């Protein structure tokens, strides 16, 4: 399994915001500079993060982006799902882990993939942005 560049950059950008949680907003330019990520690339990622309600934007001279919740209440799963959509490692599984393959009774791979999906999703849901940020400092 490999996380996309969008997911990785989204995690890094929100970890950057988590450091400033509760203080003044951070501009996209500042995040771009601190994380060495193209501002144009971040703009595209932030569209999804804002739409999902994980961040909010404040306009004006002291404007920028802030988290909408505390870093302890935003999970890695929330971020990846916002950026990528529903997660599933194989076409034969739905996002909730239900087996949707027509050949599942004859295939030993599907139950294995369902187990892997459950392990990964559980880890992502049990890891907060705070956990990521505190290990980043």
């Amino acid at each position: 399994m490999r996380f996309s560049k969008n997911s990785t950059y989204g995690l890094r950008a929100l970890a950057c915001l988590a450091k400033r949680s509760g203080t003044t907003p951070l501009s996209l330019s500042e995040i771009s500079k601190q994380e060495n990520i193209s501002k144009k690339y971040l703009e595209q990622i932030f569209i999804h993060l804002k739409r999902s309600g994980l961040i909010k934007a404040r306009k004006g001279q002291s404007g920028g982006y802030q988290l909408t919740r505390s870093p302890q209440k935003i999970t890695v799963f929330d971020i990846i799902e916002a950026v990528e959509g529903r997660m599933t490692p194989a076409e034969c599984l739905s996002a909730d882990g239900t087996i949707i393959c027509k050949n599942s009774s004859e295939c030993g791979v599907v139950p294995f993939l369902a187990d892997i999906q459950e392990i990964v999703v559980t880890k992502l849901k049990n890891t907060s942005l705070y956990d990521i940020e505190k290990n980043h400092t």
Side-chain angles (χ1 to χ4, degrees):
M1 176 181 265
R2 181 179 183 146
F3 290 111
S4 73
K5 188 184 288 188
N6 288 352
S7 292
T8 304
Y9 285 0
L11 282 168
R12 287 175 49 199
L14 291 193
C16 186
L17 286 177
K19 289 181 209 171
R20 299 269 300 257
S21 184
T23 64
T24 58
L26 199 57
S27 75
L28 209 53
S29 295
E30 292 173 289
I31 298 167
S32 171
K33 189 180 288 183
Q34 286 182 28
E35 294 299 320
N36 195 26
I37 301 170
S38 156
K39 184 179 171 188
K40 285 229 179 257
Y41 207 112
L42 281 177
E43 286 172 351
Q44 297 304 308
I45 294 169
F46 272 46
I47 290 170
H48 299 287
L49 295 171
K50 190 175 174 195
R51 192 177 296 146
S52 71
L54 295 176
I55 59 173
K56 62 184 176 184
R58 182 190 291 168
K59 294 183 181 194
Q61 190 169 359
S62 62
Y65 290 92
Q66 291 178 299
L67 300 174
T68 57
R69 309 189 295 253
S70 72
Q72 293 90 335
K73 294 187 179 182
I74 297 175
T75 68
V76 174
F77 182 85
D78 295 332
I79 298 165
I80 292 173
E81 189 174 55
V83 173
E84 300 292 337
R86 291 286 186 184
M87 290 181 44
T88 182
E91 293 178 14
C92 51
L93 297 171
S94 68
D96 68 359
T98 304
I99 297 171
I100 56 175
C101 179
K102 295 175 187 170
N103 300 322
S104 63
S105 62
E106 303 149 13
C107 177
V109 174
V110 176
F112 172 75
L113 292 175
D115 288 346
I116 295 299
Q117 180 170 331
E118 182 180 350
I119 292 165
V120 170
V121 167
T122 298
K123 179 67 174 174
L124 296 176
K125 285 183 175 183
N126 289 327
T127 304
S128 71
L129 185 56
Y130 173 79
D131 297 327
I132 297 291
E133 193 277 322
K134 79 176 178 190
N135 290 323
H136 182 64
T137 56

